[in-house]
PDB file of all heavy atoms in Angstrom:
ATOM      1  N   PHE A   4     120.192  88.554 -33.532  1.00  0.00           N
ATOM      2  CA  PHE A   4     118.930  87.817 -33.647  1.00  0.00           C
ATOM      3  C   PHE A   4     119.117  86.708 -34.666  1.00  0.00           C
ATOM      4  O   PHE A   4     119.529  86.963 -35.794  1.00  0.00           O
ATOM      5  CB  PHE A   4     117.800  88.756 -34.087  1.00  0.00           C
ATOM      6  CG  PHE A   4     116.482  88.069 -34.257  1.00  0.00           C
ATOM      7  CD1 PHE A   4     115.817  87.543 -33.162  1.00  0.00           C
ATOM      8  CD2 PHE A   4     115.900  87.945 -35.506  1.00  0.00           C
ATOM      9  CE1 PHE A   4     114.594  86.911 -33.315  1.00  0.00           C
ATOM     10  CE2 PHE A   4     114.687  87.315 -35.671  1.00  0.00           C
ATOM     11  CZ  PHE A   4     114.026  86.795 -34.567  1.00  0.00           C
ATOM     12  N   ASP A  20     127.770  86.274 -23.472  1.00  0.00           N
ATOM     13  CA  ASP A  20     127.934  84.983 -24.144  1.00  0.00           C
ATOM     14  C   ASP A  20     126.740  84.066 -23.884  1.00  0.00           C
ATOM     15  O   ASP A  20     126.886  82.863 -23.662  1.00  0.00           O
ATOM     16  CB  ASP A  20     129.243  84.303 -23.715  1.00  0.00           C
ATOM     17  CG  ASP A  20     129.603  83.131 -24.622  1.00  0.00           C
ATOM     18  OD1 ASP A  20     129.258  83.175 -25.825  1.00  0.00           O
ATOM     19  OD2 ASP A  20     130.210  82.155 -24.126  1.00  0.00           O
ATOM     20  N   ILE A  21     125.532  84.656 -23.915  1.00  0.00           N
ATOM     21  CA  ILE A  21     124.319  83.893 -23.616  1.00  0.00           C
ATOM     22  C   ILE A  21     123.353  83.958 -24.794  1.00  0.00           C
ATOM     23  O   ILE A  21     123.045  85.038 -25.318  1.00  0.00           O
ATOM     24  CB  ILE A  21     123.617  84.426 -22.348  1.00  0.00           C
ATOM     25  CG1 ILE A  21     124.509  84.171 -21.131  1.00  0.00           C
ATOM     26  CG2 ILE A  21     122.246  83.787 -22.165  1.00  0.00           C
ATOM     27  CD1 ILE A  21     123.966  84.749 -19.842  1.00  0.00           C
ATOM     28  N   THR A  27     108.973  80.592 -31.358  1.00  0.00           N
ATOM     29  CA  THR A  27     109.050  79.485 -32.305  1.00  0.00           C
ATOM     30  C   THR A  27     108.161  79.797 -33.497  1.00  0.00           C
ATOM     31  O   THR A  27     106.989  80.143 -33.330  1.00  0.00           O
ATOM     32  CB  THR A  27     108.596  78.163 -31.642  1.00  0.00           C
ATOM     33  OG1 THR A  27     109.441  77.930 -30.511  1.00  0.00           O
ATOM     34  CG2 THR A  27     108.708  77.001 -32.590  1.00  0.00           C
ATOM     35  N   THR A  37     114.979  82.741 -46.334  1.00  0.00           N
ATOM     36  CA  THR A  37     115.621  84.038 -46.144  1.00  0.00           C
ATOM     37  C   THR A  37     114.889  84.833 -45.072  1.00  0.00           C
ATOM     38  O   THR A  37     113.726  84.571 -44.774  1.00  0.00           O
ATOM     39  CB  THR A  37     115.699  84.811 -47.479  1.00  0.00           C
ATOM     40  OG1 THR A  37     116.530  85.947 -47.319  1.00  0.00           O
ATOM     41  CG2 THR A  37     114.343  85.233 -47.966  1.00  0.00           C
ATOM     42  N   VAL A  39     114.598  89.028 -43.439  1.00  0.00           N
ATOM     43  CA  VAL A  39     114.951  90.440 -43.602  1.00  0.00           C
ATOM     44  C   VAL A  39     114.532  91.230 -42.363  1.00  0.00           C
ATOM     45  O   VAL A  39     113.560  90.894 -41.699  1.00  0.00           O
ATOM     46  CB  VAL A  39     114.303  91.076 -44.862  1.00  0.00           C
ATOM     47  CG1 VAL A  39     114.848  90.484 -46.127  1.00  0.00           C
ATOM     48  CG2 VAL A  39     112.802  90.970 -44.820  1.00  0.00           C
ATOM     49  N   LEU A  40     115.296  92.267 -42.076  1.00  0.00           N
ATOM     50  CA  LEU A  40     114.958  93.228 -41.036  1.00  0.00           C
ATOM     51  C   LEU A  40     114.025  94.245 -41.671  1.00  0.00           C
ATOM     52  O   LEU A  40     114.366  94.856 -42.693  1.00  0.00           O
ATOM     53  CB  LEU A  40     116.231  93.905 -40.523  1.00  0.00           C
ATOM     54  CG  LEU A  40     116.067  95.057 -39.537  1.00  0.00           C
ATOM     55  CD1 LEU A  40     115.430  94.577 -38.244  1.00  0.00           C
ATOM     56  CD2 LEU A  40     117.435  95.683 -39.262  1.00  0.00           C
ATOM     57  N   MET A  50     111.103  89.505 -40.906  1.00  0.00           N
ATOM     58  CA  MET A  50     110.228  88.687 -41.742  1.00  0.00           C
ATOM     59  C   MET A  50     111.021  87.474 -42.227  1.00  0.00           C
ATOM     60  O   MET A  50     112.154  87.615 -42.692  1.00  0.00           O
ATOM     61  CB  MET A  50     109.721  89.495 -42.938  1.00  0.00           C
ATOM     62  CG  MET A  50     108.809  88.721 -43.870  1.00  0.00           C
ATOM     63  SD  MET A  50     108.249  89.717 -45.305  1.00  0.00           S
ATOM     64  CE  MET A  50     106.959  90.700 -44.534  1.00  0.00           C
ATOM     65  N   GLY A  53     109.769  81.880 -47.201  1.00  0.00           N
ATOM     66  CA  GLY A  53     110.096  80.639 -47.892  1.00  0.00           C
ATOM     67  C   GLY A  53     111.010  79.738 -47.100  1.00  0.00           C
ATOM     68  O   GLY A  53     111.068  79.768 -45.879  1.00  0.00           O
ATOM     69  N   GLY A  65     120.197  65.816 -49.267  1.00  0.00           N
ATOM     70  CA  GLY A  65     119.628  67.139 -49.476  1.00  0.00           C
ATOM     71  C   GLY A  65     118.559  67.238 -50.541  1.00  0.00           C
ATOM     72  O   GLY A  65     118.142  68.327 -50.908  1.00  0.00           O
ATOM     73  N   ALA A  72     105.810  78.429 -49.310  1.00  0.00           N
ATOM     74  CA  ALA A  72     105.501  79.801 -49.709  1.00  0.00           C
ATOM     75  C   ALA A  72     105.212  80.669 -48.491  1.00  0.00           C
ATOM     76  O   ALA A  72     104.902  81.851 -48.625  1.00  0.00           O
ATOM     77  CB  ALA A  72     104.295  79.812 -50.651  1.00  0.00           C
ATOM     78  N   ASP A  81     107.634  93.752 -28.840  1.00  0.00           N
ATOM     79  CA  ASP A  81     106.453  93.271 -28.120  1.00  0.00           C
ATOM     80  C   ASP A  81     106.873  92.685 -26.773  1.00  0.00           C
ATOM     81  O   ASP A  81     107.975  92.141 -26.638  1.00  0.00           O
ATOM     82  CB  ASP A  81     105.713  92.198 -28.923  1.00  0.00           C
ATOM     83  CG  ASP A  81     105.013  92.752 -30.148  1.00  0.00           C
ATOM     84  OD1 ASP A  81     104.850  93.988 -30.234  1.00  0.00           O
ATOM     85  OD2 ASP A  81     104.640  91.945 -31.022  1.00  0.00           O
ATOM     86  N   THR A  85     106.067  87.052 -30.749  1.00  0.00           N
ATOM     87  CA  THR A  85     105.599  85.803 -31.360  1.00  0.00           C
ATOM     88  C   THR A  85     105.635  85.958 -32.874  1.00  0.00           C
ATOM     89  O   THR A  85     105.455  87.063 -33.404  1.00  0.00           O
ATOM     90  CB  THR A  85     104.157  85.448 -30.932  1.00  0.00           C
ATOM     91  OG1 THR A  85     103.297  86.541 -31.256  1.00  0.00           O
ATOM     92  CG2 THR A  85     104.069  85.158 -29.446  1.00  0.00           C
ATOM     93  N   PHE A  94     104.581  81.691 -55.016  1.00  0.00           N
ATOM     94  CA  PHE A  94     105.353  80.508 -55.407  1.00  0.00           C
ATOM     95  C   PHE A  94     106.156  79.994 -54.212  1.00  0.00           C
ATOM     96  O   PHE A  94     106.919  80.756 -53.623  1.00  0.00           O
ATOM     97  CB  PHE A  94     106.344  80.854 -56.534  1.00  0.00           C
ATOM     98  CG  PHE A  94     105.696  81.492 -57.725  1.00  0.00           C
ATOM     99  CD1 PHE A  94     105.706  82.866 -57.878  1.00  0.00           C
ATOM    100  CD2 PHE A  94     105.066  80.714 -58.684  1.00  0.00           C
ATOM    101  CE1 PHE A  94     105.098  83.467 -58.965  1.00  0.00           C
ATOM    102  CE2 PHE A  94     104.461  81.304 -59.776  1.00  0.00           C
ATOM    103  CZ  PHE A  94     104.471  82.681 -59.923  1.00  0.00           C
ATOM    104  N   VAL A 111     111.538  89.771 -53.746  1.00  0.00           N
ATOM    105  CA  VAL A 111     111.875  88.354 -53.588  1.00  0.00           C
ATOM    106  C   VAL A 111     112.121  87.791 -54.975  1.00  0.00           C
ATOM    107  O   VAL A 111     111.246  87.851 -55.844  1.00  0.00           O
ATOM    108  CB  VAL A 111     110.742  87.590 -52.873  1.00  0.00           C
ATOM    109  CG1 VAL A 111     111.098  86.123 -52.704  1.00  0.00           C
ATOM    110  CG2 VAL A 111     110.448  88.229 -51.517  1.00  0.00           C
ATOM    111  N   PRO A 122     116.544  70.663 -60.255  1.00  0.00           N
ATOM    112  CA  PRO A 122     115.600  71.588 -59.625  1.00  0.00           C
ATOM    113  C   PRO A 122     114.882  72.492 -60.625  1.00  0.00           C
ATOM    114  O   PRO A 122     115.426  72.839 -61.666  1.00  0.00           O
ATOM    115  CB  PRO A 122     116.461  72.409 -58.675  1.00  0.00           C
ATOM    116  CG  PRO A 122     117.859  72.094 -58.973  1.00  0.00           C
ATOM    117  CD  PRO A 122     117.914  70.902 -59.858  1.00  0.00           C
ATOM    118  N   PRO A 128     109.716  86.980 -59.981  1.00  0.00           N
ATOM    119  CA  PRO A 128     109.937  87.683 -58.714  1.00  0.00           C
ATOM    120  C   PRO A 128     108.609  88.215 -58.158  1.00  0.00           C
ATOM    121  O   PRO A 128     107.633  88.380 -58.896  1.00  0.00           O
ATOM    122  CB  PRO A 128     110.851  88.848 -59.097  1.00  0.00           C
ATOM    123  CG  PRO A 128     111.378  88.520 -60.446  1.00  0.00           C
ATOM    124  CD  PRO A 128     110.351  87.657 -61.099  1.00  0.00           C
ATOM    125  N   MET A 130     106.898  91.213 -55.249  1.00  0.00           N
ATOM    126  CA  MET A 130     107.129  92.415 -54.458  1.00  0.00           C
ATOM    127  C   MET A 130     106.295  92.293 -53.176  1.00  0.00           C
ATOM    128  O   MET A 130     105.068  92.461 -53.199  1.00  0.00           O
ATOM    129  CB  MET A 130     106.707  93.658 -55.254  1.00  0.00           C
ATOM    130  CG  MET A 130     107.163  94.942 -54.636  1.00  0.00           C
ATOM    131  SD  MET A 130     108.944  95.158 -54.686  1.00  0.00           S
ATOM    132  CE  MET A 130     109.231  95.357 -56.432  1.00  0.00           C
ATOM    133  N   ALA A 135     100.306  93.144 -46.384  1.00  0.00           N
ATOM    134  CA  ALA A 135      99.500  93.012 -47.610  1.00  0.00           C
ATOM    135  C   ALA A 135      98.841  91.633 -47.663  1.00  0.00           C
ATOM    136  O   ALA A 135      99.327  90.668 -47.071  1.00  0.00           O
ATOM    137  CB  ALA A 135     100.365  93.217 -48.843  1.00  0.00           C
ATOM    138  N   SER A 137      98.217  90.098 -50.646  1.00  0.00           N
ATOM    139  CA  SER A 137      98.847  89.414 -51.779  1.00  0.00           C
ATOM    140  C   SER A 137      99.972  90.316 -52.277  1.00  0.00           C
ATOM    141  O   SER A 137     100.072  91.476 -51.869  1.00  0.00           O
ATOM    142  CB  SER A 137      97.843  89.124 -52.894  1.00  0.00           C
ATOM    143  OG  SER A 137      97.323  90.330 -53.418  1.00  0.00           O
ATOM    144  N   GLY A 145     115.269  86.289 -66.974  1.00  0.00           N
ATOM    145  CA  GLY A 145     115.711  85.701 -68.234  1.00  0.00           C
ATOM    146  C   GLY A 145     116.642  84.518 -68.018  1.00  0.00           C
ATOM    147  O   GLY A 145     116.839  83.702 -68.909  1.00  0.00           O
ATOM    148  N   ALA A 154     121.399  88.921 -54.874  1.00  0.00           N
ATOM    149  CA  ALA A 154     120.648  90.096 -55.320  1.00  0.00           C
ATOM    150  C   ALA A 154     121.088  91.268 -54.455  1.00  0.00           C
ATOM    151  O   ALA A 154     121.262  91.125 -53.241  1.00  0.00           O
ATOM    152  CB  ALA A 154     119.148  89.858 -55.196  1.00  0.00           C
ATOM    153  N   HIS A 158     122.548 101.845 -55.975  1.00  0.00           N
ATOM    154  CA  HIS A 158     122.354 103.207 -55.470  1.00  0.00           C
ATOM    155  C   HIS A 158     121.179 103.928 -56.115  1.00  0.00           C
ATOM    156  O   HIS A 158     120.599 104.831 -55.526  1.00  0.00           O
ATOM    157  CB  HIS A 158     123.642 104.030 -55.638  1.00  0.00           C
ATOM    158  CG  HIS A 158     123.928 104.398 -57.059  1.00  0.00           C
ATOM    159  ND1 HIS A 158     124.470 103.522 -57.969  1.00  0.00           N
ATOM    160  CD2 HIS A 158     123.711 105.552 -57.720  1.00  0.00           C
ATOM    161  CE1 HIS A 158     124.586 104.127 -59.138  1.00  0.00           C
ATOM    162  NE2 HIS A 158     124.147 105.352 -59.024  1.00  0.00           N
TER     163      HIS A 158
END
Side-chain angles (χ1 to χ4, degrees):
F4 179 67
D20 193 31
I21 294 176
T27 302
T37 190
V39 294
L40 173 64
M50 180 181 282
D81 289 345
T85 56
F94 306 98
V111 180
M130 192 68 68
S137 63
H158 72 282

